[in-house]
Amino acid sequence: MKDILTELNDRREAARLGGGQKRLDAQHGRGKLTARERIDLLVDEGSFEEFDMFVTHRCTDFGMEKQKPAGDGVVTGWGTINGRMVYVFSQDFTVLGGSVSATHAMKICKIMDMAMQNGAPVIGINDSGGARIQEGVDSLAGYGEVFQRNIMASGVVPQISVIMGPCAGGAVYSPAMTDFIFMVKDSSYMFVTGPDVVKTVTNEVVTAEELGGASTHTKKSSVADAAFENDVEALAEVRRLVDFLPLNNREKPPVRPFFDEPGRVEASLDTLVPDNPNTPYDMKELILKLADEGDFYEIQEEFAKNIITGFIRLEGRTVGVVANQPMVLAGVLDIDSSRKAARFVRFCDAFEIPILTLIDVPGFLPGTTQEYRGVIKHGAKLLFAYGEATVPKVTVITRKAYGGAYVVMSSKHLRSDFNYAWPTAEIAVMGAKGATEIIHRADLDDAEKTAEHVADYEDRFANPFVAAERGFIDEVIQPRSTRKRVSRAFASLRNKKQQMPWKKHDNIPL
């Protein structure tokens, strides 16, 4: 018995060393943690239970039978984050570059299957050189199996990808299908084809960082949701995100103790909207003053800044927030902001997270660039996302709500449950000047008459009362009481049940 236990301990020690001490030191030298160190930081201390520590690959080509490291380049298992179960896989770059073999993929598939079976999130830490070339099509088949699990788990359990090294070629499509992607600045990158291939095919000279680094994917492509300075900060933020999310699509989001009065009055909100309708203000100030303890977890902060998405808590319960940002492009909707918000709304709807929409939108961004790139279809994504969402939806219009953008942004016509407006709200087909130029075209040469028409239009339509008379606005509320009214609205909707007509699936305009 003693001999077996000694062998067990020896095997475990060898498996924990991964590719050996020299490669572990090299990993640290690049400013990166090892696969096991990352898991230790991610989950609660002492909670991680590992699977398949002794699994090895089965390849016998190209001399691979002579090197069979235990674990085959990925550490898999489950643990807890603040006492709530999560499944984790962490690729080990020190073992054959973290390359994916058939057995490596099998280990990942195993924990993804268990996550779906037991209803817990999957967190994947990616640090891999890609497919293991020596295994050929077996490696590609492994990727395909992982992709299929990503598709099956989508909308069933939250999936979070953390890119902490290279993620190239076909490997990028697994994170791309997950709900959230986090990257680490200067040490992680994602691309389908690398700089060398790009240069060969297109003659473009580009670095890995420029092509697929954290800055590129958070600011330009929107592939990643956030980027952090180092591994430690990224893993801490993943823990914080998991605290906002339900474990699966059959559970409500977690409820945590709160120390903020739901009826708290914020007198400063009465003066948040400037007197001049063209003067911008920071919508994040409103979000922070509505949230419990001012805690706001923003998603895709660096991309499409004219719309804000993220999570807050009201009375200790998670709420998804979508808000126009007047500080950027006056808060207009465009292609990027529509895509960003639509994806966020659909995530919230999939996991029973109520949605709060804060509106100050002058319309869609005009111009040939937007039209040529398909703003019609991209704008329709946000319209579709709000219209199909059956979770509690509360809307607050702070200032402008013009034209089609008013309808798109969770209006009463898209089955929003509570639609509030501040006294400063303006709900109309368009702004007074543009409307006057169309309605009173004959008087355009007369400046005095035009000014009268503009003033008349503003008096009649630049307010929330016409919409309130039609029942499109449920109540015109005082800005200072917004937290109280929104909290009570969501509290009244906790048992909401709403269903869409039966269908295999919808056909959102992709």
Side-chain angles (χ1 to χ4, degrees):
M1 184 68 175
K2 192 177 288 187
D3 291 341
I4 299 248
L5 289 176
T6 303
E7 183 183 352
L8 174 62
N9 287 330
D10 290 345
R11 279 176 173 255
R12 280 183 173 164
E13 285 303 313
R16 289 190 185 109
L17 272 177
Q21 193 58 50
K22 186 176 177 183
R23 288 180 180 168
L24 294 180
D25 292 341
Q27 181 87 340
H28 289 151
R30 289 189 287 266
K32 295 160 67 176
L33 297 175
T34 66
R36 293 177 185 280
E37 288 169 344
R38 288 164 174 166
I39 291 176
D40 288 342
L41 278 176
L42 176 65
V43 300
D44 299 336
E45 187 176 352
S47 71
F48 184 64
E49 297 278 350
E50 186 172 349
F51 293 141
D52 298 331
M53 179 186 269
F54 303 128
V55 164
T56 60
H57 68 78
R58 298 164 193 153
C59 182
T60 56
D61 296 320
F62 305 103
M64 288 295 289
E65 71 276 3
K66 295 171 186 171
Q67 46 178 333
K68 288 198 166 189
D72 202 25
V74 64
V75 182
T76 61
W78 68 275
T80 59
I81 291 179
N82 292 326
R84 302 167 73 230
M85 184 166 68
V86 294
Y87 285 85
V88 184
F89 69 85
S90 180
Q91 293 179 316
D92 189 348
F93 195 77
T94 70
V95 177
L96 301 170
S99 58
V100 176
S101 68
T103 46
H104 179 120
M106 180 195 75
K107 288 180 64 175
I108 294 173
C109 290
K110 181 175 177 177
I111 65 133
M112 293 183 75
D113 288 339
M114 295 189 75
M116 284 186 277
Q117 173 186 290
N118 301 320
V122 177
I123 301 170
I125 301 173
N126 296 75
D127 189 358
S128 166
R132 192 169 299 168
I133 297 169
Q134 294 92 330
E135 294 208 11
V137 73
D138 285 343
S139 173
L140 298 181
Y143 271 129
E145 294 290 340
V146 174
F147 298 161
Q148 184 62 40
R149 292 331 189 272
N150 288 129
I151 294 163
M152 291 165 66
S154 181
V156 178
V157 294
Q159 299 180 82
I160 301 170
S161 295
V162 193
I163 315 300
M164 291 191 155
C167 183
V172 297
Y173 291 115
S174 176
M177 288 187 284
T178 60
D179 300 306
F180 300 100
I181 300 176
F182 293 152
M183 297 183 73
V184 178
K185 295 175 183 176
D186 302 321
S187 66
S188 66
Y189 50 86
M190 299 173 71
F191 39 66
V192 177
T193 52
D196 295 338
V197 177
V198 169
K199 185 179 180 184
T200 302
V201 176
T202 68
N203 216 27
E204 292 175 279
V205 178
V206 65
T207 66
E209 184 63 30
E210 291 168 337
L211 184 62
S215 178
T216 297
H217 286 313
T218 52
K219 295 177 182 176
K220 295 179 182 177
S221 72
S222 82
V223 167
D225 295 286
F228 303 102
E229 295 296 332
N230 52 55
D231 288 10
V232 176
E233 185 185 355
L235 294 166
E237 288 299 315
V238 172
R239 285 180 61 90
R240 187 172 159 231
L241 173 61
V242 170
D243 280 348
F244 281 93
L245 306 180
L247 294 179
N248 57 66
N249 62 354
R250 293 179 181 272
E251 283 196 8
K252 295 283 187 183
V255 181
R256 59 177 280 175
F258 63 99
F259 308 97
D260 199 346
E261 177 56 46
R264 169 168 49 83
V265 171
E266 279 287 349
S268 61
L269 293 180
D270 290 345
T271 54
L272 177 65
V273 176
D275 292 334
N276 185 336
N278 297 318
T279 302
Y281 60 95
D282 191 355
M283 188 66 87
K284 284 187 186 177
E285 183 180 338
L286 172 57
I287 296 171
L288 293 172
K289 286 178 177 175
L290 291 179
D292 288 353
E293 289 95 36
D295 184 21
F296 176 47
Y297 193 104
E298 189 165 357
I299 300 294
Q300 289 202 322
E301 182 178 2
E302 296 297 319
F303 180 73
K305 292 187 176 184
N306 45 326
I307 205 158
I308 303 166
T309 56
F311 299 107
I312 62 171
R313 292 186 184 88
L314 290 173
E315 297 189 77
R317 298 168 189 266
T318 302
V319 173
V321 177
V322 178
N324 304 113
Q325 173 57 293
M327 297 286 284
V328 181
L329 294 174
V332 296
L333 287 174
D334 59 4
I335 289 171
D336 289 344
S337 61
S338 297
R339 284 174 45 227
K340 170 181 169 179
R343 178 159 173 78
F344 183 77
V345 167
R346 282 170 65 84
F347 174 82
C348 291
D349 186 44
F351 290 101
E352 282 299 311
I353 298 172
I355 301 168
L356 170 63
T357 308
L358 305 173
I359 300 176
D360 185 351
V361 61
F364 279 90
L365 183 64
T368 56
T369 303
Q370 290 288 307
E371 296 293 351
Y372 294 167
R373 287 179 57 209
V375 68
I376 296 170
K377 272 208 167 183
H378 292 293
K381 290 175 182 174
L382 182 54
L383 170 65
F384 200 106
Y386 268 124
E388 72 171 350
T390 58
V391 294
K393 292 181 284 189
V394 176
T395 300
V396 180
I397 301 173
T398 60
R399 188 165 62 180
K400 297 173 184 173
Y402 288 166
Y406 151 70
V407 179
V408 167
M409 293 293 292
S410 195
S411 63
K412 183 64 78 176
H413 324 291
L414 298 181
R415 300 200 300 182
S416 177
D417 299 294
F418 283 75
N419 290 71
Y420 292 133
W422 285 6
T424 47
E426 304 172 15
I427 304 164
V429 174
M430 60 174 62
K433 187 172 181 296
T436 300
E437 288 173 358
I438 294 171
I439 298 170
H440 302 286
R441 188 173 294 160
D443 294 335
L444 286 180
D445 294 334
D446 189 330
E448 192 174 320
K449 275 191 176 182
T450 299
E452 285 178 16
H453 292 318
V454 168
D456 179 55
Y457 188 91
E458 286 177 344
D459 288 342
R460 292 175 64 184
F461 298 110
N463 60 65
F465 301 113
V466 175
E469 288 169 7
R470 303 289 193 277
F472 303 151
I473 295 296
D474 295 304
E475 182 73 274
V476 180
I477 63 173
Q478 287 185 302
R480 65 173 59 201
S481 67
T482 304
R483 174 175 160 86
K484 175 184 176 182
R485 301 301 291 266
V486 168
S487 295
R488 284 176 58 82
F490 279 123
S492 74
L493 294 167
R494 283 176 195 159
N495 294 319
K496 176 184 176 182
K497 293 282 187 292
Q498 189 176 55
Q499 288 188 324
M500 298 286 281
W502 185 92
K503 58 183 87 170
K504 185 176 180 184
H505 62 74
D506 53 46
N507 189 19
I508 187 170
L510 293 174

